Amino acid sequence: MASEDVKATESAVSTIVNLAEEAKIAREGVKVNAPSYAILSICKSLFAGGVAGGVSIAELEGSDGYIRVHYLVNLLEVESRTAVAPLERLKILLQVQNPHSIKYNGTIQGLKYIWRTEGVRGLFKGNGTNCARIVPNSAVKFFSYEEASKGILWLYQQQPGKEDAELTPGLRLVAGACAGIIAMSATYPMDMVRGRLTVQTEKSPYQYRGIFHALSTVLREEGPRALYKGWLPSVIGVIPYVGLNFAVYGSLKDWLVKTKPFGLVEDSELGVTTRLACGAIAGTMGQTVAYPLDVIRRRMQMVGWKDASSVVTGDGMSKAPLEYNGMIDAFRKTVRHEGFGALYKGLVPNSVKVVPSIAIAFVTYEKVKDVLGVEIRISD
């Protein structure tokens, strides 16, 4: 089964790379005016990030110094997110459910309960919002990482004796953290309403009808600041999560290329399977360290929700509003009333979906960026 998954992943990545190769061939010979070069460089990084987040190139054509994008096809990330949507929903339900009214108790039991009480549609609740934020989030994240890496490295090289320095794991960590914060902040309102849409059940006293209805309702009833509830733990969590992802992934690649263990490296290049393994290791470390902050973020997003889902408030005699006065208060009450293990509720289903997703995103991004990064002739 694992072998089939690896082959399927390699096939998906290869498909995207082949499409990008066709784009490169179509673009060859195009002359680009000098002022356009910087803009194209930025667009390439944004576009490669978008591909890693769910968009692939179907065709690019060059004409008179312009590159026109004819088709953008959601190929990989949207499909993979949809495939693991039941695990994503279960993770959030486990994170925010009332401890005095437990309905979801583990991965298998939780999925069965959703199926029994809400049917197939219940397994995919909130997935539309999740897919809608993939492309802008991923594009901004990878572009920000590229630019932050350049800026941080330039500053580092200004120090005496560091003129020829290269990116270190520490510098990658900082650049990755900056990229994660920028991308997360740009799309946070969509993540906030996704959390609420995800925990709604058929028995909830009030239903958000969709993304825009949820956004408008929160704005009207709770004010603009409500769209950023849980933002602080998200920012703090981004530092180890995204930072470790980039740092561990880049460092593992460099180490493998230099040491060439077990014959994994040929001609200073890593194969797709090896890169996927590096991405999986990076994803595991990042999400495990940052996970408690994700739990607190989700719980804070539910605070102040009028007529909140019964999953959050509980049923019958145990029904009570969720009240936290901030991040520290949320940590303290969670550990005091539910124990330290509550900070890792939903970790298992989250690991099943996150680790391969991060691995695929890294490999796809690098492959497509390599193809789009061919030299463009600049006219006089």
Side-chain angles (χ1 to χ4, degrees), residues 327-343:
M327 183 181 70
I328 302 301
D329 184 53
F331 265 110
R332 184 174 64 250
K333 287 180 178 178
T334 297
V335 174
R336 179 194 301 165
H337 299 304
E338 302 173 58
F340 185 79
L343 297 176

Side-chain angles (χ1 to χ4, degrees), residues 38-171:
I39 296 175
L40 285 173
S41 178
I42 292 173
C43 289
K44 284 190 297 182
S45 288
L46 281 169
F47 193 71
V51 172
V55 180
S56 73
I57 313 162
E59 183 182 2
L60 288 178
E61 287 186 0
S63 175
D64 300 324
Y66 295 94
I67 294 178
R68 294 184 292 119
V69 179
H70 278 184
Y71 305 103
L72 298 179
V73 184
N74 289 334
L75 255 193
L76 183 60
E77 188 71 3
V78 170
E79 293 179 1
S80 66
R81 291 293 178 96
T82 301
V84 298
L87 292 171
E88 171 67 13
R89 185 178 186 223
L90 177 61
K91 179 204 77 170
I92 296 176
L93 290 170
L94 288 169
Q95 288 177 331
V96 304
Q97 72 173 336
N98 191 298
H100 304 294
S101 183
I102 299 295
K103 299 177 181 178
Y104 310 92
N105 189 17
T107 305
I108 303 301
Q109 183 275 337
L111 291 173
K112 288 182 177 179
Y113 185 84
I114 295 172
W115 176 279
R116 187 173 67 253
T117 57
E118 301 181 63
V120 176
R121 291 184 62 184
L123 294 171
F124 295 91
K125 191 170 290 183
N127 184 56
T129 313
N130 193 25
C131 291
R133 56 181 283 275
I134 288 173
V135 174
N137 182 274
S138 184
V140 172
K141 180 171 63 179
F142 279 103
F143 169 67
S144 300
Y145 177 71
E146 292 286 330
E147 296 304 307
S149 296
K150 294 174 185 177
I152 291 170
L153 181 58
W154 181 83
L155 290 173
Y156 188 64
Q157 290 174 338
Q158 303 310 301
Q159 301 179 25
K162 304 290 186 180
E163 291 79 9
D164 298 323
E166 297 181 355
L167 282 173
T168 64
L171 295 179

Side-chain angles (χ1 to χ4, degrees), residues 25-39:
I25 294 172
R27 189 181 61 184
E28 286 180 348
V30 176
K31 290 186 177 182
V32 181
N33 294 326
S36 303
Y37 184 72
I39 296 175

